[in-house]
């Protein structure tokens, strides 16, 4: 609620993430209120703040289980699954505003691959993931791009081979390949 934000009962960093998620709510009234609040705070939000970027990546990707000798390191009850497509679309839109997001490895590559090939991916998410590839290419320095380039090229090649019937997607993918070179 906006009165909670104004009273700063919710820490500002937390509020940003909650508003981003709420703006993708299926209930129109919730999404509209959150979207309006986000827009009113737009100039105050630092989308390059690593804490905000990392939280958005964590919500988008969920907890990626790390294997240990004993098996799974994470208790199943504390594991967070990745969010649904609707929230992923909203988070990716905000990641596109962030230079920090483009440079955060390996989460940036994980989001690209999830957007292009994930189980819940759709045409809109693939398009946003390709825009994110463009964002990574234009934002990252040559030194940062050196290890990312082959991974991105591999994903783009796979996408081009799988979606030969989608001219718009192909054109964006070929354009991204051009930016990689």
């Amino acid at each position: 609620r906006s009165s909670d934000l104004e009273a700063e009962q919710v820490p500002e960093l937390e509020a940003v993430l909650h508003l981003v998620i709420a703006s993708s709510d299926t209930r129109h009234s919730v999404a509209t209120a959150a979207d309006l609040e986000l827009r009113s705070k737009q100039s105050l939000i630092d989308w390059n703040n690593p804490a905000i970027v990392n939280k958005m990546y964590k919500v988008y990707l969920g907890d990626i289980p790390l294997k240990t000798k004993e098996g799974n390191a994470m208790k199943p009850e504390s594991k967070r699954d990745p969010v649904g497509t609707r929230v992923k679309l909203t988070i990716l839109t905000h990641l596109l505003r962030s230079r920090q997001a483009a440079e955060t490895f390996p989460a940036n590559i994980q989001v690209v691959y999830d957007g292009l090939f994930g189980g819940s991916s759709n045409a809109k998410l693939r398009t946003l993931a390709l825009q994110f590839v463009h964002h990574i290419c234009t934002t990252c320095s040559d030194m940062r791009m050196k290890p990312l380039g082959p991974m991105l090229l591999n994903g783009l090649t796979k996408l081009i081979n799988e979606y030969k019937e989608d001219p718009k997607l192909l054109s964006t993918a070929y354009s991204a390949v051009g930016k990689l070179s």
Side-chain angles (χ1 to χ4, degrees), residues 56-78:
M56 286 198 295
Y57 274 132
K58 188 168 175 62
V59 170
Y60 184 106
L61 295 165
D63 290 320
I64 296 164
L66 301 169
K67 297 282 183 194
T68 61
K69 288 178 193 153
E70 301 83 47
N72 249 343
M74 191 172 290
K75 294 184 187 108
E77 62 273 10
S78 63

Side-chain angles (χ1 to χ4, degrees), residues 109-128:
I109 299 296
Q110 291 166 329
V111 163
V112 167
Y113 271 77
D114 177 81
L116 296 178
F117 309 111
S120 65
S121 191
N122 61 22
K124 218 174 195 175
L125 193 56
R126 277 189 290 278
T127 301
L128 273 179

Side-chain angles (χ1 to χ4, degrees), residues 20-126:
V20 167
I21 293 167
S23 67
S24 62
D25 197 290
T26 53
R27 291 165 297 199
H28 181 71
S29 59
V30 173
T32 304
D35 203 40
L36 286 171
E37 191 63 34
L38 259 179
R39 287 174 198 222
S40 75
K41 300 225 179 281
Q42 196 61 49
S43 62
L44 306 171
I45 299 170
D46 177 10
W47 294 108
N48 291 310
N49 179 328
I52 292 175
V53 170
N54 291 336
K55 281 179 185 278
M56 286 198 295
Y57 274 132
K58 188 168 175 62
V59 170
Y60 184 106
L61 295 165
D63 290 320
I64 296 164
L66 301 169
K67 297 282 183 194
T68 61
K69 288 178 193 153
E70 301 83 47
N72 249 343
M74 191 172 290
K75 294 184 187 108
E77 62 273 10
S78 63
K79 183 181 180 291
R80 287 202 175 110
D81 289 327
V83 289
T85 305
R86 193 180 184 103
V87 179
K88 284 181 179 182
L89 287 166
T90 305
I91 289 175
L92 198 44
T93 304
H94 292 290
L95 290 175
L96 281 164
R97 298 175 178 191
S98 172
R99 180 178 198 88
Q100 177 69 35
E103 295 178 350
T104 303
F105 178 81
N108 55 1
I109 299 296
Q110 291 166 329
V111 163
V112 167
Y113 271 77
D114 177 81
L116 296 178
F117 309 111
S120 65
S121 191
N122 61 22
K124 218 174 195 175
L125 193 56
R126 277 189 290 278

